């Protein structure tokens, strides 16, 4: 199984912190954010290679991180893939970047995809177990416990079997407090459909749109993220995550 980390954004909302440093390399509890993400996934033993996709501006930063990173908790090869975008005007979008990695690296394997700014307080070993047991896409979901809050995300309604029944991006009237997050599993047999999604001219940004396109065509399983989940999109969430992860070390 391959792990693809989406890290090609420019994080302009976090300026000036991210003018000269990519968001996934910002420190959380004294370590780059990306190290915490990899640690959460390290117990999925079937992951044998990591591909981190980034842009022209930050590719050197990630290359340096890759060469010097702490391998003690997740000692698998990491390749940095440059999508050669230079700013938001010519970026490929998250799904475009996913497609680029699959094609350029000739991936013919199951993949797990995670955003480089999603932090998890708990280990994701059980996610890996579910992904290995089912031959369908698996979406990580999180209960934000507020309809007002869920309206900011892709809102999910599931069946008793935990398959997606509806998926709506930022609905005005959310049907649940369960949201889809940027944690995805795509079996090998689904990878050609990602290429089809792009070829058909669908929106290549916002990775949840791919799930929204897939679930009417096939079962898409959900898996509830345990513990706390952080979408690092602001200085406030960055500071909160830093505080909580630091407290865990004490």
């Amino acid at each position: 199984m391959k792990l693809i980390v989406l890290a090609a954004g420019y994080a302009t909302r976090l300026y000036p912190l991210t003018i000269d440093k990519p968001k996934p390399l910002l420190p959380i509890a004294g370590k780059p954010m990306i190290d915490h993400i990899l640690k959460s996934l390290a117990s999925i033993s079937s992951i044998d290679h990591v591909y981190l996709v980034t842009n022209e501006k930050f590719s050197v930063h990630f290359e340096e991180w890759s060469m010097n990173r702490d391998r003690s908790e997740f000692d698998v090869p990491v390749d940095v893939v440059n999508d050669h975008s230079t700013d938001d005007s010519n970026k490929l979008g998250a799904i475009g970047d996913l497609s680029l990695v699959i094609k350029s690296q000739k991936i013919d394997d199951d993949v797990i995809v995670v955003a480089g700014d999603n932090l998890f307080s708990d280990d994701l070993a059980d996610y890996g177990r579910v992904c290995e047991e089912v031959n369908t896409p698996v979406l990580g979901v999180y209960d934000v416990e507020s309809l007002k809050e869920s309206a900011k995300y892709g809102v999910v309604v599931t069946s008793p079997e935990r398959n997606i029944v509806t998926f709506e991006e930022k609905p005005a009237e959310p049907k649940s407090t369960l949201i889809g997050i940027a944690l995805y599993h795509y079996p090998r047999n689904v990878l050609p459909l990602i290429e089809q999604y792009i070829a058909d001219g669908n929106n290549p940004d916002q990775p949840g749109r791919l799930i929204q396109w897939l679930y009417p065509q096939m079962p898409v399983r959900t898996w509830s993220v345990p513990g706390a989940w952080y979408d690092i999109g602001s200085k406030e969430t960055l500071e909160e995550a830093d505080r909580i992860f630091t407290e865990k070390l004490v």
Side-chain angles (χ1 to χ4, degrees):
M1 185 180 290
K2 307 297 184 268
L3 173 63
I4 299 176
V5 181
L6 303 174
Y10 294 90
T12 54
R13 285 190 296 163
L14 279 171
Y15 276 11
L17 297 176
T18 50
I19 289 178
D20 296 312
K21 177 177 284 192
K23 190 199 302 187
L25 293 185
L26 293 177
I28 298 285
K31 297 169 62 173
M33 190 185 306
I34 184 65
D35 285 8
H36 294 284
I37 297 169
L38 294 184
K39 181 180 179 180
S40 298
L41 293 152
S43 55
I44 303 177
S45 59
S46 55
I47 295 175
D48 58 17
H49 208 112
V50 177
Y51 296 95
L52 184 147
V53 57
T54 186
N55 52 54
E56 188 72 32
K57 180 178 181 180
F58 291 132
S59 61
V60 172
H61 296 73
F62 283 112
E63 291 282 4
E64 292 176 354
W65 161 80
S66 178
M67 288 187 292
N68 300 307
R69 70 186 179 92
D70 180 3
R71 293 173 171 264
S72 62
E73 292 171 330
F74 198 15
D75 190 16
V76 298
V78 174
D79 283 348
V80 176
V81 180
N82 184 352
D83 73 1
H84 297 291
S85 70
T86 54
D87 54 44
D88 283 333
S89 69
N90 59 18
K91 67 181 182 181
L92 302 187
I95 306 171
D97 279 323
L98 172 59
S99 173
L100 171 70
V101 174
I102 292 169
K103 288 193 293 186
S104 67
Q105 306 304 309
K106 298 179 172 58
I107 294 176
D108 183 26
D109 197 356
D110 297 351
V111 299
I112 287 176
V113 183
V114 65
D117 58 358
N118 276 214
L119 280 173
F120 308 90
S121 68
D122 290 19
D123 186 88
L124 301 182
D126 187 61
Y127 181 70
R129 179 190 62 77
V130 171
C131 294
E132 290 166 10
E133 287 179 356
V134 302
N135 194 36
T136 62
V138 183
L139 170 66
V141 294
Y142 189 76
D143 191 344
V144 293
E145 301 179 347
S146 160
L147 290 174
K148 182 179 179 181
E149 188 67 17
S150 69
K152 303 174 185 176
Y153 300 94
V155 176
V156 179
V157 174
T158 64
S159 70
E161 297 77 30
R162 299 183 182 177
N163 290 334
I164 294 178
V165 175
T166 65
F167 185 108
E168 298 178 278
E169 276 287 351
K170 300 180 180 179
E173 298 182 2
K175 296 176 181 176
S176 84
T177 59
L178 198 65
I179 66 167
I181 68 168
L183 176 66
Y184 314 94
H185 167 251
Y186 297 112
R188 172 191 280 132
N189 66 306
V190 173
L191 301 190
L193 289 177
I194 299 175
E195 301 309 304
Q196 181 185 332
Y197 175 93
I198 296 293
D200 288 350
N202 292 292
N203 189 330
D205 207 4
Q206 298 178 351
R209 292 183 184 273
L210 180 58
I211 293 292
Q212 199 171 19
W213 182 79
L214 282 172
Y215 87 84
Q217 306 179 52
M218 65 180 66
V220 174
R221 182 81 171 269
T222 62
W223 179 82
S224 293
V225 172
W229 162 77
Y230 302 93
D231 178 15
I232 308 299
S234 68
K235 292 177 184 177
E236 290 74 22
T237 53
L238 178 69
E239 291 168 358
E240 180 185 0
D242 181 54
R243 176 179 57 79
I244 290 174
F245 275 72
T246 301
E247 288 174 354
K248 286 172 63 178
L249 298 175
V250 178

